[in-house]
Amino acid sequence: MMLEPVATLLLSMLSIPGMALIAGALAVPLLPTSARNAFMLALIAFSGWTVWQIAPDASLTARLAGIELTLLRVEAITKPFALVFHIAAALNVIYSMHEKARLTATAGLAYAGAAIAALFAGDFLTLFIYWELTTFASVFLVLAGNTPRATRAAMRYLLMQVASGVILLAGAVLLWRSGAGFAITALDATTPAGFCILLALGIKAGFPLLGGWLQDAYPEASPAGSVMLSAFTTKLAIYMLVICFAGFKPLIYIGLAMAIISLFAAMIENNLRRVLAIALVNQLGIMVVGIGIGSELAINGVTAHAFASVLYKGLLFMSMGAVFFRTGTDRADALGGLARHMPWTAGFCLIGALSIASMPLFSGFTTKALTLGAVAKQGELWVWLGLLFASVGVVLHTALRLPYAAFFATNPKIKAEEAPLNMRVAMGLAAGGCLVIGLYPSALYALLPYAVSYKVWDVGHVLGEVQLLVFVALIFALMVRRGLYPLSGADMVIYTDWIGRYALPRLIIGIGAPLMRLWNGAKDGFVALVLRLLRTGEEASRATGLASGVASTGAAAGIFLALFALILLIRIVI
Amino acid sequence: MGDKTETSLILRRVMRGLLALCALGLLGEVLIHRHAYFALEATPFFFALFGIIAASLIIGGSMVAARLIGRAPDYYGGDDDA
């Protein structure tokens, strides 16, 4: 009788999008490779179908220890995020089909499932559970890099992600104590609860100084792992920021800092997958600016941009992953000339590059334009100029430098095979997505939370964008021709990951080493003191035969007995 | 060496193509009226000028930044397996 409600709850929980993926991930290690991929794609299709037909007022609640949990709730922006997460999950499965590793497949599916289910969480406790599940599933993707460096990066990644989870939980508890309950709603970032939650989201969204884990861990993962990582964690944080902090003005400047500071590091870094990770922060920065603006057009912009960027960023990570898979390196100075050997990968990479560059007819143009338009409509000239400046940076370091370094720079010695078929199919589908959004943006606009009245195909707007792009490309070509490329002989850059990889360990050792010396000194002193006391006692007992020594057992028992009797006496008298 | 001259030949063609596109972009400005949100944006050839200035600033800035934040591959310790 008691089991019936539990069974009903379990069954209804399967109606939560993403839950089928989490449950199914448990079965993945048991399946043979051939069945595994079909099984995972079927699960994703089922879960995606539940999102497609979900009612806007769908809800599922449960009571646990007197607390009402909202396991399912649909916001206006939930559907587009959930759909693109499903697309990314499916592309990831196709992209990693050639891999035999069960762990990556299991972790990847659970990670995607947890991220999708988190979108539908209606309270912070439910969110916390999925938040932690994304952490623990995704750390295996970093570990799958299978190098000592990847292991260390994975531990740092875990530390930061768990810190984000703990701060989120602290914020949730503070919120509950303030009498607001656990519900996920718009929050005031100036209250302690709001601040904690903003900080937790900020770690995952790559806020300045908090996002070092991103460029630390993502490039160390396996090729398929970094593609999976690029889609979910950061976009989940963006989604939560939209729900909780839309219109919080300081986000405009936080976002601008993210978008601009990352430019210079991405221009010099030699590891191309790290360039992509740093450039990811730049894209997130533009979204955070949009959240800070908070108007309907801006939120549409953030949602559309997040949707498009999951595809083009994923596509770029896929192409660099394919390069790494075939050549064993992702270092710019060791690559070049691959266009001849991997023409398909090069072509798909260019589509990703044109998309991120906001070239008209590609997905960046039809999505990022909404955020820029929202900033312009608010009359924020300096913010608008800042975003335009950041866009020029993206064109330089991702759209031009990345394909040039991998595929077109002179490297007569390089030899590589074209990417495996499954990788090409995944890249082709992602590239197709970029083109569909670029050519028929109305299909994506229909999914957005508010009606879109913005005229994206304004002729003057198209002309301005094209002018910007061709002149930036001209400057880049001039730079290459003048022999200024590569910009530096440095192999890597120290960026915000420096805090976790260099400063903190040294700070801890710097403070810890003297403390350890002090502790060791005190411990040795104490032991010496005890030994001396024992020796003194021994000598005394030899003299008196009372407190210690061979003859002491009877004497000690006598003393304790006397004390016990005294205590009893006191107790009786009082 | 043959590869090098081939690359510079391609580069020259790319440059020529880009210059043609730039000329077209500037010509377009004469023919089409751009709707502008800001007075600054209404400046003739604003986006072309902004592109040139911003790209030069970023390239120059990165060269300076490379001296400040560029490091050798073993900066964070050994086992560099990339």
Side-chain angles (χ1 to χ4, degrees), chain A residues 147-149 152 267-268 376 381 389 410 460 464 467-468 471 477 479 481 487-488 491-494 498 501-502, chain B residues 7 11 15 25 29 34 37-38 47-48 52 58-59 62-63 66 69-73 75-76 79-82:
Chain A
T147 61
R149 241 177 35 183
R152 286 206 296 273
M267 281 299 282
I268 9 179
L381 175 65
F389 186 78
T410 320
Q467 264 187 11
L468 187 81
F471 276 92
M479 178 183 90
R481 222 177 148 192
L487 279 174
S488 107
D491 187 80
M492 52 169 290
V493 291
I494 46 169
W498 181 80
R501 297 175 72 180
Y502 190 96
Chain B
T7 311
L11 201 63
M15 282 291 284
E29 178 108 4
R34 275 196 296 109
Y37 286 104
F38 304 105
F47 285 96
I52 294 171
I58 291 169
I59 290 169
S62 303
M63 287 161 92
I69 58 172
R71 290 292 183 278
Y75 176 73
Y76 287 123
D79 65 74
D80 182 62
D81 35 30

Side-chain angles (χ1 to χ4, degrees), chain A residues 483-572:
Chain A
L484 285 172
Y485 179 89
L487 279 174
S488 107
D491 187 80
M492 52 169 290
V493 291
I494 46 169
Y495 194 47
T496 47
D497 53 337
W498 181 80
I499 300 169
R501 297 175 72 180
Y502 190 96
L504 274 182
R506 273 158 187 79
L507 185 74
I508 290 164
I509 292 167
I511 295 172
L515 278 180
M516 278 308 283
R517 270 202 296 279
L518 202 69
W519 162 249
N520 282 337
K523 198 177 65 185
D524 292 348
F526 181 73
V527 170
L529 185 73
V530 170
L531 282 174
R532 215 171 66 213
L533 283 176
L534 278 176
R535 219 167 293 132
T536 323
E538 220 172 65
E539 281 158 18
S541 76
R542 252 184 236 126
T544 60
L546 188 67
S548 67
V550 183
S552 67
T553 323
I559 292 170
F560 276 115
L561 211 60
L563 275 174
F564 187 60
L566 187 69
I567 292 168
L568 262 181
L569 195 70
I570 294 169
R571 184 74 188 88
I572 290 163

Side-chain angles (χ1 to χ4, degrees), chain B residues 23-76:
Chain B
L24 272 179
L26 296 181
L27 185 72
E29 178 108 4
V30 183
L31 302 175
I32 299 164
H33 169 71
R34 275 196 296 109
H35 168 75
Y37 286 104
F38 304 105
L40 183 68
E41 193 190 347
T43 319
F45 311 117
F46 170 79
F47 285 96
L49 290 170
F50 189 91
I52 294 171
I53 296 168
S56 310
L57 278 177
I58 291 169
I59 290 169
S62 303
M63 287 161 92
V64 177
R67 287 165 188 237
L68 298 172
I69 58 172
R71 290 292 183 278
D74 59 350
Y75 176 73
Y76 287 123

Side-chain angles (χ1 to χ4, degrees), chain A residues 105-336:
Chain A
T106 312
L109 193 66
Y111 176 39
I116 292 164
L119 299 172
F120 292 90
D123 65 89
F124 280 109
L125 286 185
T126 309
L127 176 67
F128 171 75
I129 293 166
Y130 297 130
W131 203 253
E132 295 297 276
L133 193 55
T134 58
T135 297
F136 290 113
S138 61
V139 76
F140 288 102
L141 301 176
V142 185
L143 284 169
N146 213 9
T147 61
R149 241 177 35 183
T151 309
R152 286 206 296 273
M155 291 306 115
R156 289 190 292 266
Y157 172 81
L158 191 61
L159 207 66
M160 281 310 278
Q161 302 297 307
V162 170
S164 162
V166 172
I167 297 169
L168 180 77
L169 189 61
V173 171
L174 285 172
L175 192 69
W176 180 72
R177 275 190 51 161
S178 71
F182 286 114
I184 299 177
T185 49
L187 296 172
D188 179 4
T190 55
T191 61
F195 182 76
C196 279
I197 290 166
L198 180 67
L199 190 64
L201 301 181
I203 291 175
K204 294 228 182 196
F207 277 15
L209 302 179
L210 300 177
W213 58 270
L214 226 152
Q215 63 264 21
D216 183 8
Y218 282 15
E220 302 298 342
S222 64
S226 57
V227 176
M228 293 181 196
L229 286 164
S230 76
F232 302 115
T233 300
T234 52
K235 301 322 171 291
L236 175 59
I238 292 292
Y239 169 87
M240 284 297 159
L241 281 170
V242 171
I243 292 182
C244 299
F245 299 105
F248 181 55
K249 294 291 171 236
L251 286 179
I252 296 175
Y253 304 101
I254 293 174
L256 261 188
M258 288 164 71
I260 291 175
I261 299 170
S262 56
L263 296 181
F264 302 100
M267 281 299 282
I268 9 179
E269 172 63 52
N270 192 25
N271 179 318
L272 292 180
R273 280 197 296 163
R274 181 159 288 127
V275 171
L276 281 176
I278 297 173
L280 182 59
V281 177
N282 163 291
Q283 297 291 302
L284 296 167
I286 297 170
M287 292 174 212
V288 172
V289 170
I291 299 170
I293 295 283
S295 63
E296 288 189 356
L297 180 58
I299 298 306
N300 271 347
V302 174
T303 313
H305 188 198
F307 194 104
S309 87
V310 166
L311 290 178
Y312 62 64
K313 208 69 220 191
L315 174 56
L316 289 166
F317 265 108
M318 283 187 216
S319 66
M320 285 305 121
V323 166
F324 181 73
F325 181 70
R326 282 307 195 202
T327 63
T329 184
D330 43 15
R331 294 161 60 96
D333 58 3
L335 291 168

Side-chain angles (χ1 to χ4, degrees), chain A residues 35-62:
Chain A
R36 188 213 293 161
N37 293 319
F39 174 69
M40 292 199 289
L41 286 174
L43 281 177
I44 294 165
F46 166 75
S47 177
W49 173 77
T50 56
V51 172
W52 189 252
Q53 52 87 55
I54 204 163
D57 58 347
S59 164
L60 180 67
T61 57

